[in-house]
Amino acid sequence: MTRRDRGLVATLGLAFAALAIVVALPAAPRSGSIGSPAPTGSDVPWAIFREGIVGSPSSINPLTARTAADRDLAALIFSGLTRLGPDDTVLPDLATSWTMDATGGSWTFHLRPDARWQDGVPVTADDIVFTVGVLHDPAYAGPLVGSWREVTATQIDPSTVRFDLATPLGGFLQATTIGILPAHLLRDVPVAKLADDRFSVEPVGSGPYALVQWDTGAAQLVPAGSLAAPAESTGPASSVPGVDAPTGPSASAPGVDVPTGPSGSAGAGPSASVGAASLPELDFTFFTDATALADAYRAGEIDDASGLGPAQAASLAALPGSHLLTYPGTTFTSLAVNLRPGSTALRPARVRRALLEILDRTKLVADVYRGAATRADSAIPPTSWAFDAKASAPVATSSSAANADLVRSGWRKGTHGWVAAGTKSAIDIKLLAPDAASNPTANAAAAWIAGAWRAFGIGVTVVELEPARFVERLQAGDFTVALVSVNVGLDPDLYSLYASTQAVGGGGNITGLQDAALDAKLRAARAPGSMEARRIAYRNLQAALVADPAMLPLVFADELVVVSDRLSGRSVRPLGSASDRFWDVLTWRLADGR
């Protein structure tokens, strides 16, 4: 139901295998203007920052985004009720304040009276109810499918909306960063056609930037507050914190009834009083692959490059006038072991522990990720407030310990390799992995793991699959071990990954794990409560996952961005997705003007 629950198996197709998939797109029309046209040439009153990414837009809409370019543009054009802040905080955005009832099952948000769409129409509670309604619609099949199924949105009055949760969640506030859609422009658009509607190529948001024009090669975004309000407007053209009138809520907005848990903290954030003229224009250039992106950066054609592999990023960051921003990620890369009936060889916990003991994950980080990742010892990122180092005690790399664990499990070392208990032939583990075209880093990691296991005497065959087939095999349970990556989110919720109920009906528990005791710990960890109560619940959950690992933890990969030294004001914080890197865009400044 939260951002981590987005129809998780469907999301696996993106997370497992598509950090840099290039989508072949037909030529798209350039968008029409929003408000008054943006100044050009010498008339531009602001500095221009040139952003380079891999891939092209297709559906610039927070609910239907298909590509990394779609998600990046939508993150800048649309606002949520809340937005990310520093130190795991969530700050007011379209909302000025919120309250939660004692059960955590009902949340009430109050909207800013000055909130406007970029066409001048006020943002109201009706827009929030409409957006949730799209997510509920049976025809909706976008990336957030399943994410709000258990949430009911009700308009109390034009500036107040209440959410009722079928299952109270301690991390619900993170979900309210989702971009809101304008009901007055989309109410008559069938949900099944929303992704390809004209709105999704000519988006009208309420965020800090407005899209002036774009095609498959480039896009121009200007500070939304710089656009003249349309004649029919009843107020300013922008509702965005950080642009000229109206100013948005300060990071410490009065009246915020801070919910329990870190994401409820309305701590200090970017100033809301910065004028639009001091924000840079953002000019995006879209590239077919990472090599073309890197070449353009070297040639001085762009100021920023994201979506690069570790080696390419390190090479560019070494150029004069450049530096590397390393954002800790929340994408959990692990080895999912099939525990369904009939998959017997790897079912004993000692065997799975032995497979992990063979792997030197610190060396994996160095060899494959070039240091741009953090070793994982549980499904909770070490950067998270919920991580407990004692409960997630590292499993040490040890060939002797692995040997002992396999022997105690009834395995024996034969002439041609290790033989599993109850079998006569040397085992040959089929390791599913994304192919090199869709995800070269994950593919390289699979090859590295297979090499380590083979060196220990365990037979391994890497089965490389393109994304659609990879997800199909996972959904069908047609694998022995699979290298998978799943975004667990900034307020981690592991229910979809491990709960018994999620092992059927297309749920996210691809291992097929069935454990009633673990289910109780999963429910306790996702429930609302005091900060201390939530920490204890997560501590208990992590201890259980380490004791009997269904998903062998490998790494949390970083998001890497190479940026010119002329840009200042960017701050590093853990990211739930690559597009979250714009969380502090209101503080970005260019040192030398244009």
Side-chain angles (χ1 to χ4, degrees):
M1 189 187 67
T2 64
R3 294 177 74 184
R4 281 80 63 200
D5 272 340
R6 301 171 181 173
L8 191 54
V9 171
T11 304
L12 292 173
L14 294 174
F16 294 165
L19 290 180
I21 293 177
V22 178
V23 179
L25 299 172
R30 298 179 79 87
S31 76
S33 62
I34 302 170
S36 296
T40 58
S42 60
D43 295 327
V44 176
W46 50 73
I48 297 175
F49 183 72
R50 303 164 301 170
E51 176 101 3
I53 61 175
V54 175
S56 295
S58 168
S59 186
I60 308 169
N61 180 321
L63 270 60
T64 62
R66 298 179 178 120
T67 68
D70 288 333
R71 291 186 287 275
D72 284 353
L73 295 177
L76 292 161
I77 297 167
F78 294 88
S79 290
L81 286 168
T82 61
R83 60 186 173 88
L84 298 179
D87 301 324
D88 285 342
T89 58
V90 172
L91 306 176
D93 198 348
L94 291 176
T96 60
S97 63
W98 53 84
T99 58
M100 178 183 70
D101 73 356
T103 69
S106 181
W107 296 68
T108 301
F109 287 77
H110 304 280
L111 303 184
R112 290 172 31 221
D114 60 5
R116 295 288 188 276
W117 294 103
Q118 289 162 3
D119 62 2
V121 174
V123 178
T124 70
D126 181 50
D127 296 306
I128 287 81
V129 173
F130 170 79
T131 301
V132 176
V134 171
L135 295 170
H136 282 186
D137 195 293
Y140 176 71
L144 302 178
V145 65
S147 60
W148 285 68
R149 294 299 190 196
E150 295 186 355
V151 180
T152 301
T154 303
Q155 175 176 319
I156 306 303
D157 58 48
S159 62
T160 310
V161 63
R162 187 185 72 238
F163 298 109
D164 294 301
L165 285 61
T167 303
L169 291 177
F172 175 68
L173 199 60
Q174 286 282 347
T176 61
T177 60
I178 180 178
I180 301 300
L181 297 180
H184 70 286
L185 295 177
L186 295 173
R187 196 180 305 280
D188 296 330
V189 177
V191 171
K193 297 182 178 181
L194 181 58
D196 297 307
D197 185 74
R198 180 175 179 177
F199 176 89
S200 294
V201 294
E202 298 182 3
V204 177
S206 59
Y209 281 88
L211 181 64
V212 177
Q213 58 184 7
W214 73 276
D215 55 28
T216 54
Q220 179 190 10
L221 287 84
V222 300
S226 67
L227 300 178
E232 69 274 15
S233 171
T234 58
S238 173
S239 66
V240 186
V243 299
D244 280 340
T247 56
S250 69
S252 56
V256 175
D257 186 359
V258 180
T260 56
S263 61
S265 175
S271 170
S273 62
V274 180
S278 61
L279 289 174
E281 174 185 316
L282 299 181
D283 285 4
F284 281 78
T285 303
F286 308 121
F287 296 89
T288 57
D289 55 59
T291 299
L293 170 61
D295 289 345
Y297 186 89
R298 288 190 181 92
E301 298 169 5
I302 55 176
D303 303 307
D304 174 299
S306 63
L308 298 170
Q312 286 176 312
S315 175
L316 293 187
L319 296 174
S322 302
H323 61 279
L324 180 65
L325 297 176
T326 302
Y327 295 91
T330 59
T331 296
F332 175 51
T333 297
S334 68
L335 293 167
V337 181
N338 192 341
L339 301 179
R340 291 176 174 82
S343 302
T344 58
L346 306 184
R347 290 190 66 84
R350 281 188 182 276
V351 171
R352 285 176 272 131
R353 183 180 179 89
L355 293 177
L356 191 58
E357 289 168 331
I358 295 167
L359 304 177
D360 185 341
R361 285 166 286 165
T362 300
K363 195 170 187 301
L364 172 65
V365 169
D367 290 353
V368 175
Y369 293 87
R370 304 295 181 94
T374 301
R375 167 186 163 136
D377 290 302
S378 80
I380 304 294
T383 54
S384 173
W385 65 270
F387 181 74
D388 188 292
K390 291 183 178 179
S392 298
V395 174
T397 304
S398 173
S399 296
S400 60
N403 189 91
D405 279 333
L406 290 179
V407 170
R408 288 178 190 141
S409 301
W411 286 43
R412 59 184 177 81
K413 188 73 175 289
T415 304
H416 301 291
W418 283 92
V419 179
T423 64
K424 296 181 179 179
S425 301
I427 193 169
D428 182 54
I429 295 175
K430 301 297 188 294
L431 173 58
L432 260 64
D435 60 15
S438 64
N439 194 330
T441 302
N443 184 267
W448 187 96
I449 290 162
W453 283 348
R454 290 187 192 115
F456 187 79
I458 295 176
V460 187
T461 299
V462 178
V463 181
E464 304 179 32
L465 300 172
E466 54 85 23
R469 181 58 178 154
F470 183 71
V471 173
E472 181 182 313
R473 291 277 295 269
L474 293 176
Q475 290 176 321
D478 184 14
F479 67 95
T480 306
V481 180
L483 180 70
V484 298
S485 297
V486 180
N487 186 358
V488 299
L490 295 169
D491 195 308
D493 183 3
L494 306 183
Y495 189 84
S496 291
L497 280 181
Y498 293 103
S500 299
T501 59
Q502 301 300 303
V504 295
N509 180 357
I510 59 172
T511 67
L513 177 66
Q514 299 285 312
D515 187 330
L518 182 63
D519 290 342
K521 291 180 172 63
L522 289 163
R523 289 192 295 269
R526 72 191 323 225
S530 68
M531 191 66 185
E532 180 59 23
R534 295 194 73 196
R535 287 188 189 279
I536 292 172
Y538 272 98
R539 182 187 309 150
N540 294 338
L541 174 59
Q542 288 167 83
L545 293 176
V546 170
D548 190 2
M551 303 182 77
L552 310 182
L554 296 174
V555 302
F556 287 94
D558 299 325
E559 295 289 347
L560 302 176
V561 179
V562 179
V563 63
S564 164
D565 289 346
R566 66 189 290 252
L567 181 75
S568 62
R570 292 182 79 154
S571 299
V572 169
R573 63 156 287 168
L575 302 183
S577 70
S579 298
D580 286 346
R581 69 185 184 279
F582 299 113
W583 74 274
D584 60 348
V585 69
L586 302 180
T587 70
W588 291 14
R589 301 292 177 265
L590 287 172
D592 59 352
R594 299 172 208 163

